């Protein structure tokens, strides 16, 4: 049986004018979500689509996940929640980053659910909700070891003893070290959350982020919340990545030039050429989310991590040479056969041949930051199989 060609939806910059392109495989995204949903059973699986779906676009990502079966979505901000509702009106959408009084009317009109994480927010929500006949739902975030958002364990237990008309629809916490499965804090947080679940009996609970889904006790909770793993990022720091690649980033070659032995390259003259060197200068830089810390030289990170980022072109990996600048990045293509790379060609920055997280490590960061930093100057291609 011949495989159907994927449909291609485009967005962003005109491909004739753009300096780079992003290819987002929505089939791989959906497959990753289904894999995580199967692993999460018997828990329901939601999807974290904050930061514009990790930089890939809520308007494209949410419909693909909805079609795959996802019905609950998490965002950071109410504004993001409205964008989810615009493309998935029947979705349950929870807003993570706190609650402010001036947003209450929006929650009432849009069916968004705030995740409340302090006594102040609970009191504020209760006072505003008291004016309504139909009380609006809320979720409760409890801090079990992250020391970020959330009620303390003591505050949450006291609240549970006197819930009355303020019963949350969801109880949640966030794991701080789930990507390190052996870390002692995981067990401590799970045990604390178990105490909470007893006090909040009958209320849906959620603890597992992407790496948390791979923890043996995930099945004890009713809702998992995958984020980066859906988008192809590594869920665990100590195991091979089981997720399918979703995003490929490529930059166009602007110019091929030759630098002579003894000359320097780029800002700061941080690289002195040890041989005559063919250089491919590409139209992507830190203004496009390709981080300056990935530079081949001249950045503090190189003292700790000797090798900078690499690109992939003409069947080979090629190193960044000099500093990544605002709009341009240079690669050493000397070891490639002459005339195999030309202006207008594309060099892969991460994707099929360079893993997202490998590119991130070369820049001293994580895949999350690379994805959410992607700029708006790329031409974007969204690939999806034809509907049956």
């Amino acid at each position: 049986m011949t495989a159907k060609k994927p449909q291609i939806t485009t967005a962003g910059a005109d491909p004739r004018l753009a300096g780079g392109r992003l290819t987002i495989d929505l089939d791989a995204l959906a497959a990753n979500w289904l894999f995580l949903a199967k692993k999460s059973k018997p828990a329901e699986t939601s999807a974290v689509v904050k930061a514009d779906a990790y930089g890939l676009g809520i308007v494209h990502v949410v419909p693909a996940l909805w079609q795959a079966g996802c019905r609950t979505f998490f965002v950071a901000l109410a504004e993001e929640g409205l964008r989810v509702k615009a493309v998935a009106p029947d979705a349950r959408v929870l807003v993570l980053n706190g609650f402010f009084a001036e947003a209450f009317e929006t929650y009432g009109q849009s069916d968004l659910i705030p995740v409340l994480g302090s006594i102040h927010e609970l009191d504020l929500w209760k006072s505003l909700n008291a004016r309504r006949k139909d009380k609006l739902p809320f979720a409760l975030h409890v801090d079990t070891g992250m020391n970020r958002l959330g009620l303390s364990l003591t505050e949450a237990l006291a609240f549970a003893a006197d819930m009355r008309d303020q019963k949350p629809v969801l109880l949640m916490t966030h794991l701080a070290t789930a990507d390190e499965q052996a870390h002692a804090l995981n067990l401590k947080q799970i045990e604390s959350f178990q105490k909470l679940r007893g006090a909040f009996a009958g209320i849906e609970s959620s603890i597992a982020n992407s790496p948390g889904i791979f923890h043996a006790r995930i099945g004890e909770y009713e809702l998992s919340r995958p984020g980066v793993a859906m988008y192809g990022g590594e869920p665990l720091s100590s195991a091979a990545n089981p997720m399918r690649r979703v995003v490929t980033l490529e930059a166009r070659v602007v110019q091929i030039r030759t630098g002579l032995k003894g000359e320097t390259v780029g800002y700061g003259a941080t690289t002195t050429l040890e041989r005559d060197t063919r250089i491919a200068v590409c139209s992507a830089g830190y203004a496009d989310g390709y981080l300056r810390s990935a530079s081949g030289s001249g950045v503090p990170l190189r003292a700790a991590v000797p090798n900078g980022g690499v690109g992939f072109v003409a069947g080979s990996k090629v190193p960044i040479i000099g500093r990544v600048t605002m709009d341009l990045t240079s690669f050493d293509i000397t070891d490639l056969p002459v005339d195999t790379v030309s202006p207008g060609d594309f060099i892969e920055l991460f994707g099929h041949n360079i893993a997202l997280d490998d590119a991130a490590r070369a820049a001293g960061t994580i895949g999350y930051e690379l994805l959410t930093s992607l700029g708006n100057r790329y031409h974007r291609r969204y690939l999806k199989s034809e509907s049956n």
Side-chain angles (χ1 to χ4, degrees):
M1 183 175 179
T2 304
K4 294 181 179 179
K5 290 184 178 180
Q7 296 176 324
I8 301 176
T9 302
T10 62
D14 187 318
R16 298 168 299 176
L17 310 177
R21 67 186 178 196
L22 275 168
T23 303
I24 297 104
D25 187 339
L26 295 176
D27 289 340
L29 173 82
N32 285 343
W33 183 84
L34 289 167
F35 172 82
L36 295 164
K38 183 177 180 180
K39 198 163 186 64
S40 296
K41 286 183 177 180
E44 178 193 348
T45 301
S46 65
V48 179
V49 293
K50 61 185 180 177
D52 200 21
Y54 283 49
L56 304 187
I58 281 174
V59 69
H60 299 281
V61 166
V62 168
L65 293 172
W66 179 270
Q67 187 175 7
C70 184
R71 296 294 178 263
T72 298
F73 297 85
F74 284 84
V75 295
L77 306 170
E79 183 274 332
E80 294 176 328
L82 294 178
R83 286 193 279 145
V84 173
K85 283 289 191 178
V87 293
D90 296 327
R92 179 172 66 154
V93 182
L94 295 99
V95 181
L96 293 165
N97 277 26
F99 168 71
F100 302 98
E102 56 265 38
F104 185 75
E105 184 178 344
T106 298
Y107 282 95
Q109 295 171 346
S110 62
D111 198 31
L112 299 176
I113 301 172
V115 179
L116 306 182
S118 70
I119 296 299
H120 167 75
E121 289 179 356
L122 282 168
D123 289 343
L124 184 59
W125 184 258
K126 181 179 180 180
S127 67
L128 293 168
N129 228 357
R131 306 173 189 174
R132 294 178 59 100
K133 292 181 180 179
D134 55 330
K135 305 304 181 189
L136 299 179
F138 69 95
L140 187 67
H141 188 174
V142 182
D143 174 39
T144 57
M146 185 82 168
N147 258 324
R148 196 172 59 173
L149 299 179
L151 275 69
S152 69
L153 191 62
T154 300
E155 289 173 332
L157 291 172
F159 176 76
D162 190 31
M163 277 191 291
R164 298 181 186 176
D165 59 342
Q166 277 205 116
K167 191 174 183 180
V169 296
L170 175 72
L171 175 72
M172 62 170 282
T173 194
H174 194 64
L175 295 170
T177 58
D179 57 326
E180 301 176 48
Q181 288 186 307
H183 200 291
L185 185 55
N186 290 323
L187 184 58
K188 181 180 178 181
Q189 288 194 260
I190 289 171
E191 289 176 345
S192 294
F193 199 58
Q194 285 287 57
K195 293 178 184 178
L196 288 167
R197 291 183 72 227
F200 288 85
I203 294 174
E204 186 180 20
S205 63
S206 178
I207 190 173
N209 49 12
S210 285
I213 289 171
F214 292 80
H215 196 284
R217 296 175 68 176
I218 178 58
E220 298 176 7
Y221 308 101
E222 289 85 19
L223 182 71
S224 64
R225 310 187 309 270
V228 74
M230 287 192 311
Y231 306 104
E234 293 177 355
L236 299 171
S237 59
S238 58
N241 188 358
M243 313 312 300
R244 285 177 55 177
R245 176 199 50 78
V246 174
V247 187
T248 298
L249 173 61
E250 299 166 292
R252 296 194 82 173
V253 176
V254 176
Q255 184 181 118
I256 307 295
R257 62 184 303 112
T258 298
L260 301 179
K261 181 179 179 179
E263 293 181 342
T264 61
V265 177
Y267 281 125
T270 59
T271 296
T272 300
L273 300 177
E274 298 179 355
R275 59 179 178 174
D276 291 352
T277 303
R278 283 187 297 118
I279 302 167
V281 184
C282 296
S283 185
Y286 57 76
D288 305 291
Y290 195 60
L291 304 180
R292 185 176 183 272
S293 54
S295 298
S297 60
V299 292
L301 180 64
R302 294 289 77 86
V305 182
N307 297 318
V310 297
F312 186 89
V313 66
S316 297
K317 291 182 178 179
V318 292
I320 294 175
I321 187 168
R323 285 175 172 160
V324 175
T325 63
M326 184 182 293
D327 313 297
L328 299 165
T329 301
S330 296
F331 294 88
D332 183 346
I333 60 168
T334 310
D335 293 331
L336 300 181
V338 176
D339 297 332
T340 56
V341 182
S342 302
D345 290 349
F346 285 92
I347 290 184
E348 179 188 310
L349 305 182
F350 61 79
H352 288 279
N353 303 286
I354 302 168
L356 167 67
D357 290 281
D358 287 344
R361 276 186 282 270
T365 188
I366 53 178
Y368 301 73
E369 185 177 18
L370 282 191
L371 288 179
T372 58
S373 297
L374 296 171
N376 59 12
R377 299 195 293 188
Y378 298 115
H379 171 62
R380 292 177 174 233
R381 303 186 304 166
Y382 291 88
L383 310 183
K384 191 176 188 303
S385 295
E386 295 179 5
S387 301
N388 294 327

